[in-house]
Amino acid sequence: MTESLLFGLSLFPYLGFLWCLWRAQAPRGILLGFGLTLLFVAITIPAGIVAQRFYGQTLANVDVLHGAAELWLTVANLTLVLGVRRALQHKIKNHTAEEL
């Protein structure tokens, strides 16, 4: 099994995971964060192709492309962290209000 085939097949469980989150009505920030992670993957693939074709290097060795791709991962992670934080704050606020 080739690396690219394995990578392609790995997207199906992740899409299933996103579908389950959506179906469970996960908070919007969490869904957006995981969705942006998928966008990071979609951006990284063409960036890797460009690095190979134009520079003859792997993506990790072409700083401008690698940095741009990693920026999306940073945005996705930040969105996810803020989404989880917001969901927890909402849960704590509602739990505290119920106790009063």
Side-chain angles (χ1 to χ4, degrees):
M1 183 175 291
T2 66
E3 181 181 312
S4 58
L5 177 61
L6 187 60
F7 178 76
L9 291 175
S10 73
L11 291 176
F12 290 107
Y14 193 79
L15 290 172
F17 167 70
L18 287 177
W19 181 78
C20 287
L21 280 178
W22 175 76
R23 191 102 197 263
Q25 298 178 346
R28 188 177 312 173
I30 294 172
L31 277 172
L32 182 60
F34 282 119
L36 286 173
T37 302
L38 189 59
L39 180 61
F40 158 73
V41 171
I43 289 170
T44 301
I45 294 168
I49 293 169
V50 168
Q52 188 65 47
R53 292 235 172 118
F54 289 100
Y55 299 100
Q57 298 284 327
T58 63
L59 179 59
N61 293 333
V62 181
D63 288 342
V64 69
L65 293 175
H66 187 240
E70 290 294 325
L71 173 67
W72 284 104
L73 183 59
T74 302
V75 169
N77 287 338
L78 183 60
T79 303
L80 184 56
V81 166
L82 292 175
V84 169
R85 181 177 182 260
R86 187 174 188 186
L88 288 172
Q89 285 176 334
H90 182 73
K91 187 88 168 171
I92 291 169
K93 180 181 173 185
N94 285 344
H95 183 68
T96 304
E98 289 174 3
E99 289 177 354
L100 297 176

